[in-house]
Amino acid sequence: MFKFFKKEHHLKNINKNEPINIDGMTIVDAYYIQDSQVEAYKKDRERYSDALIYILGQFFSDVDRMFEGTDDGEAIVAFNNDEPVKYIYLNPETIDQIRIYEQEMPLKSAIMRFCELENDI
């Protein structure tokens, strides 16, 4: 599991937009990630993002990666007829959970389980 915490909780009091430096941690999107885990986190995050877009695209009319630079971080958003119906945030909890599911089943099944798509088929 990734060791992390949300960036917004550790911003300088003087300038709320300027994150503080924390020894041993690197900011990735909206989260501080332990330095030793940054590369694995980024790699998994991109891999799962691509897989989420591909798999959700089989169930919904449009799927986009959105919210870059926001306090909650990026998300994969699935739309039906221009109406957003699923938000999957690319945060450490999401990445960890998909990784856990992927240890038990193929990636497509892991994402379908995480996104609760079995009931939508």
Side-chain angles (χ1 to χ4, degrees):
M1 300 205 47
F2 291 115
K3 296 198 184 284
F4 69 93
F5 52 87
K6 219 167 173 186
K7 179 174 71 174
E8 71 182 19
H9 296 296
H10 299 281
L11 296 177
K12 290 183 179 177
N13 291 332
I14 297 171
N15 183 353
K16 297 274 186 204
N17 294 322
E18 186 179 331
I20 60 171
N21 290 323
I22 299 175
D23 288 338
M25 305 289 284
T26 299
I27 297 174
V28 179
D29 196 24
Y31 294 87
Y32 284 93
I33 305 293
Q34 196 171 33
D35 287 343
S36 63
Q37 299 175 338
V38 168
E39 290 308 313
Y41 175 71
K42 285 181 178 180
K43 182 179 175 183
D44 286 347
R45 187 174 188 262
E46 290 308 309
R47 180 173 174 257
Y48 293 150
S49 170
D50 291 344
L52 281 160
I53 290 169
Y54 177 76
I55 293 165
L56 289 170
Q58 296 174 11
F59 294 88
F60 300 98
S61 61
D62 190 29
V63 180
D64 290 314
R65 187 169 176 167
M66 305 175 76
F67 307 126
E68 182 178 0
T70 63
D71 287 343
D72 289 329
E74 285 186 280
I76 303 301
V77 182
F79 297 85
N80 265 339
N81 302 319
D82 295 327
E83 188 72 30
V85 291
K86 277 204 184 290
Y87 295 84
I88 309 297
Y89 283 92
L90 299 173
N91 58 37
E93 294 100 337
T94 297
I95 303 308
D96 277 341
Q97 190 59 58
I98 294 173
R99 181 186 293 128
I100 289 166
Y101 288 158
E102 189 180 18
Q103 291 173 0
E104 303 168 7
M105 61 193 72
L107 179 57
K108 181 176 181 177
S109 298
I111 287 177
M112 290 177 65
R113 181 174 176 190
F114 182 82
C115 296
E116 300 175 349
L117 292 173
E118 288 91 353
N119 296 330
D120 296 347
I121 300 175

